[in-house]
Amino acid sequence: MINGYYSATGGMITQFNRLDVISNNLANLNTNAFKRDDVVVGDFLRLYKETQDTLPLRDHTRAAAKYQNRNLNRVPIISEEYTEFETGALAQTDNPLDFALQKPNAYFAIQTPDGVRYTRDGSFVIDSEGYLATKQGFRVLSRAGIDGEGGIIVGQGMQVEVDKNGNLYFRNPAYEEQNAPVEGGSLAIVSFDNPKYLQKVGNNLYRYPEDRLDDRTINVADGSLAQGFIEKSNVNAVKEMTALIETNRLVDMYSKAMRTFVDDFAPEAIGKLAVRA
């Protein structure tokens, strides 16, 4: 009987964890270029099969029962959490410092105190020292400076133009007769052989393992950039709200099952066992 209580408890905890993921998706509905997360719900049997080589006994024998309870194999757990990297819709802003990447496996390289990080949020500003930066103050790296913390300096009063390949050009509107664009380097736009290794680290940034940087490719001419646009979140509010309602109902169902075990089954079992004793 107590195993049923454990199963209901495990199911409730799983739904609570799923609820956290859904709530975070909804909270970032209007976050530029945010990528929604989702979970895979498995069970302890899958976990057992993945770790059985490290257990003292391999099989579900009576001798192994003290290490693994066979009756709890089907208790649901979140076996995997993943990010969906599909491109969000583009919104036109006409801001020359807004850039959107139109291909899913493309990221801007950003210099942070913790090292190079990556983002798809191309809503940039010019910081107090004239560098192109994120709104959190992290400098945007150039293609030539991605390995040496090389930022992009924008001259005072200069207009910024960027082509589809991330090449930068500056114009000085004060001199109309000499308004030919001046080359200003290129944005570091990178892609990865295995985007699944990207890890969210906050501030709309991703980290890629240092020991896998051979998977990183610095794009030279992929035509993915659009100036004056921002990529929106790929969160679908209707789907997330539907999942939220479903999860809340499951939590309520598991809660009722647990109360039934505590209020009805347990007293009855104790009473009958006491009478027989």
Side-chain angles (χ1 to χ4, degrees):
M1 182 197 73
I2 197 66
N3 288 335
Y5 184 82
Y6 289 154
S7 297
T9 303
M12 176 178 277
I13 292 173
T14 297
Q15 295 307 318
F16 276 141
N17 292 334
R18 184 187 178 206
L19 190 62
D20 288 340
V21 174
I22 296 171
S23 299
N24 186 63
N25 288 339
L26 287 170
N28 288 281
L29 181 63
N30 295 316
T31 300
N32 292 336
F34 177 82
K35 303 304 175 190
R36 71 178 297 271
D37 297 313
D38 208 342
V39 297
V40 175
V41 178
D43 53 40
F44 277 102
L45 182 60
R46 174 177 174 178
L47 181 66
Y48 170 78
K49 289 180 177 179
E50 291 176 351
T51 60
Q52 62 181 346
D53 290 339
T54 64
L55 295 176
L57 298 173
R58 292 180 60 84
D59 300 323
H60 287 206
T61 61
R62 183 179 297 240
K66 59 183 177 180
Y67 304 107
Q68 185 80 8
N69 190 332
R70 187 180 180 88
N71 291 326
L72 298 181
N73 282 344
R74 295 303 179 184
V75 174
I77 60 170
I78 290 179
S79 57
E80 184 179 354
E81 183 173 340
Y82 64 94
T83 301
E84 292 187 353
F85 290 102
E86 287 81 1
T87 304
L90 299 189
Q92 186 170 357
T93 65
D94 294 325
N95 183 340
L97 296 181
D98 284 346
F99 310 103
L101 296 169
Q102 302 178 77
K103 295 183 179 179
N105 188 14
Y107 301 85
F108 298 107
I110 307 297
Q111 185 65 46
T112 75
D114 298 319
V116 178
R117 298 295 182 259
Y118 309 93
T119 186
R120 288 184 60 87
D121 181 3
S123 181
F124 299 141
V125 296
I126 299 175
D127 67 15
S128 59
E129 298 181 22
Y131 283 90
L132 192 65
T134 67
K135 290 184 177 178
Q136 292 78 27
F138 304 129
R139 291 179 179 174
V140 181
L141 292 174
S142 66
R143 186 181 300 161
I146 189 171
D147 293 320
E149 301 185 13
I152 298 169
I153 298 180
V154 180
Q156 186 174 7
M158 300 294 285
Q159 291 181 343
V160 179
E161 297 178 4
V162 184
D163 65 18
K164 292 183 178 181
N165 297 320
N167 298 312
L168 290 156
Y169 303 92
F170 302 135
R171 293 179 185 271
N172 191 336
Y175 299 96
E176 293 292 340
E177 67 281 0
Q178 300 177 0
N179 207 17
V182 177
E183 293 185 4
S186 304
L187 293 167
I189 302 173
V190 304
S191 61
F192 301 95
D193 293 341
N194 296 289
K196 67 179 182 179
Y197 290 110
L198 286 165
Q199 303 171 348
K200 292 183 178 180
V201 294
N203 290 317
N204 223 354
L205 299 174
Y206 296 89
R207 175 185 176 274
Y208 200 77
E210 295 291 334
D211 59 349
R212 301 191 66 93
L213 285 184
D214 289 342
D215 296 342
R216 185 182 70 181
T217 300
I218 303 175
N219 299 331
V220 177
D222 67 352
S224 68
L225 190 140
Q227 185 177 17
F229 290 82
I230 281 295
E231 181 189 0
K232 306 301 290 183
S233 166
N234 70 353
V235 175
N236 185 310
V238 175
K239 289 184 178 180
E240 297 300 328
M241 288 302 299
T242 302
L244 185 67
I245 293 170
E246 176 190 12
T247 304
N248 279 324
R249 287 177 176 173
L250 286 171
V251 168
D252 185 58
M253 180 188 72
Y254 284 123
S255 177
K256 289 179 180 178
M258 293 169 65
R259 285 198 298 269
T260 299
F261 274 104
V262 173
D263 298 339
D264 297 333
F265 294 166
E268 183 177 355
I270 292 171
K272 289 182 178 180
L273 288 172
V275 171
R276 291 182 180 179

